[in-house]
Amino acid sequence: MRSIEFANKTIGFAGALEYNGQNVFFKTTDGGVTWTDISSAIVGVDRGICGICCVNANVVYAVGVYSTPAYVMKSTNGGANWTKIDMSAYASGLVDVQFIDAITGYVTGQSNVSAEGAVILKTTDGGASWTKVFKSNVDGEYVWKIQNLNGTNWYASVERSGPSSAMNVFLKSVNGGTTWTSQNVATSSYFQGIGFLSTQLGWTGNNDLYRTSNGGSTWSVDIPYSASNGFNRFQRVNSTTAYFSSNKIYKWSSTATALHEQEEKAEEKNWLSVFPNPVKETVSYRLNFPNKTMYVARLFNSKSEMIWEETKQREKGSYDLSVPVKVSPGLYYFYIMYNEGLECKKVVVE
């Protein structure tokens, strides 16, 4: 499952990446007690849904997918029918969506121009046209999650790839998403999740979670690194309560001093190995997938320049592969994003 959004207490939608060649998209009208499969309604989509936004019970937007292609799905009759908006002119893949009314909204992901990197797109006409309001200009990056705190203050996470020594950043808008600024967080593993409880108190991270109490000027570790972490979706309930989903569910309340665990379901993922390492000219690697998945594999040099990329779907199993480009001596980073997570390995070429 990839996303879940409710229009009110009874009507909601849930989506996932494709499973066994089929879309996974459901609707409930009884608060989640029962669900109806509406995947056949999203005609022309074969990779699934990454993000959903319910403007109201009738107007619903959904986007996909991180691994390409990029599209927006729109319904104006409560999910009975959907219109597909091809976004290939703006993005190669989309992850999240947030609309403030039926016609004005934002989607996030990766630009169709690789050098533009992470991108935020805005529409003011219900998806008929789009404008790039943010570009990171770093190849391989995504804008992963976006949050509308109060209409004026917006936040977004940037998922970078390449060297693990690079600085992670988050994005901030103080004018309703019209313009965005990038601010440093920390040198750490890649980030995906972000959420602010107020304009001062917020969190961002993935395998390790960082916390700010001054609007993002400075950050400190709130929950330390774990390979079983995967902070991704933040849900603000009110000014004193919020939840963060990882491989565990964490809850924040005003009486707590930190996020605390509600339920554990941890699974360490090491599905990528590079061998031998150091290597000679050719980078060989093994993918060990416990289930069918889409993936995006990339090789970066020490300057974070992408020199090879592959997007593919593979069945469950183990695959011994090699990068089809020769590389000169130096330090490289092999990066793979799949439906269940992301891994990055340092590679030395002698």
Side-chain angles (χ1 to χ4, degrees):
M1 301 304 294
R2 201 70 172 183
S3 52
I4 184 168
E5 290 290 325
F6 276 72
N8 51 43
K9 290 184 178 181
T10 58
I11 298 175
F13 298 83
L17 300 179
E18 68 87 20
Y19 181 71
N20 287 336
Q22 302 294 321
N23 285 313
V24 182
F25 201 31
F26 292 92
K27 179 181 178 180
T28 180
T29 57
D30 56 15
V33 177
T34 60
W35 294 83
T36 301
D37 184 352
I38 62 168
S39 57
S40 61
I42 50 174
V43 179
V45 173
D46 60 3
R47 294 285 179 82
I49 298 297
C50 278
I52 307 171
C53 178
C54 297
V55 178
N56 51 50
N58 291 316
V59 180
V60 184
Y61 289 88
V63 300
V65 288
Y66 81 91
S67 59
T68 72
Y71 46 78
V72 172
M73 303 301 299
K74 177 182 179 180
S75 177
T76 57
N77 57 7
N81 303 101
W82 295 80
T83 301
K84 180 183 177 182
I85 303 171
D86 183 355
M87 297 293 287
S88 60
Y90 309 96
S92 62
L94 296 176
V95 180
D96 204 10
V97 53
Q98 187 68 247
F99 272 70
I100 59 178
D101 55 41
I103 62 172
T104 303
Y106 300 84
V107 295
T108 69
Q110 188 175 66
S111 174
N112 62 315
V113 180
S114 59
E116 292 179 351
V119 69
I120 299 176
L121 304 170
K122 180 179 182 179
T123 181
T124 56
D125 54 15
S129 62
W130 297 83
T131 302
K132 294 178 180 179
V133 294
F134 174 81
K135 297 176 289 186
S136 71
N137 296 318
V138 179
D139 200 356
E141 288 189 340
Y142 291 79
V143 177
W144 201 259
K145 290 293 189 290
I146 188 170
Q147 181 198 18
N148 174 12
L149 177 63
N150 54 21
T152 300
N153 298 95
W154 289 62
Y155 305 92
S157 58
V158 176
E159 194 225 71
R160 61 165 179 77
S161 53
S164 58
S165 59
M167 179 66 69
N168 285 284
V169 302
F170 82 103
L171 306 180
K172 182 177 182 179
S173 174
V174 295
N175 55 13
T178 301
T179 59
W180 296 79
T181 57
S182 173
Q183 295 181 223
N184 289 342
V185 179
T187 300
S188 181
S189 62
Y190 69 99
F191 287 3
Q192 286 188 336
I194 191 167
F196 276 72
L197 196 68
S198 66
T199 57
Q200 299 302 304
L201 179 59
W203 296 266
T204 188
N206 186 272
N207 287 330
D208 38 17
L209 188 69
Y210 287 81
R211 173 183 173 185
T212 182
S213 299
N214 54 18
S217 297
T218 59
W219 298 79
S220 59
V221 175
D222 201 7
I223 298 176
Y225 174 92
S226 169
S228 63
N229 284 344
F231 291 97
N232 203 298
R233 173 67 75 178
F234 179 89
Q235 181 64 51
R236 181 183 185 274
V237 179
N238 52 44
S239 61
T240 60
T241 305
Y243 291 86
F244 222 135
S245 64
S246 175
N247 287 327
K248 305 174 183 178
I249 301 300
Y250 291 83
K251 180 181 179 181
W252 167 270
S253 65
S254 59
T255 58
T257 57
L259 291 162
H260 58 274
E261 300 170 12
Q262 294 294 103
E263 179 182 353
E264 181 173 354
K265 187 181 179 181
E267 176 187 359
E268 185 169 344
K269 299 179 178 65
N270 289 294
W271 297 355
L272 167 68
S273 57
V274 179
F275 60 91
N277 194 4
V279 305
K280 302 279 190 182
E281 290 189 335
T282 300
V283 178
S284 298
Y285 60 99
R286 175 171 295 154
L287 301 177
N288 185 27
F289 293 138
N291 45 260
K292 181 179 179 180
T293 187
M294 287 292 303
Y295 71 86
V296 180
R298 298 184 176 113
L299 186 66
F300 293 85
N301 62 21
S302 60
K303 297 178 181 179
S304 294
E305 298 168 337
M306 186 169 63
I307 59 176
W308 170 80
E309 179 182 41
E310 177 183 72
T311 300
K312 204 172 185 66
Q313 184 179 71
R314 290 194 184 273
E315 301 291 334
K316 174 182 177 180
S318 182
Y319 301 87
D320 289 336
L321 306 164
S322 61
V323 176
V325 295
K326 300 297 184 181
V327 288
S328 57
L331 181 63
Y332 295 83
Y333 296 87
F334 194 103
Y335 156 104
I336 181 169
M337 180 192 295
Y338 39 79
N339 293 352
E340 295 79 8
L342 182 150
E343 292 183 57
C344 184
K345 303 291 187 183
K346 185 183 295 185
V347 182
V348 176
V349 179
E350 294 181 334

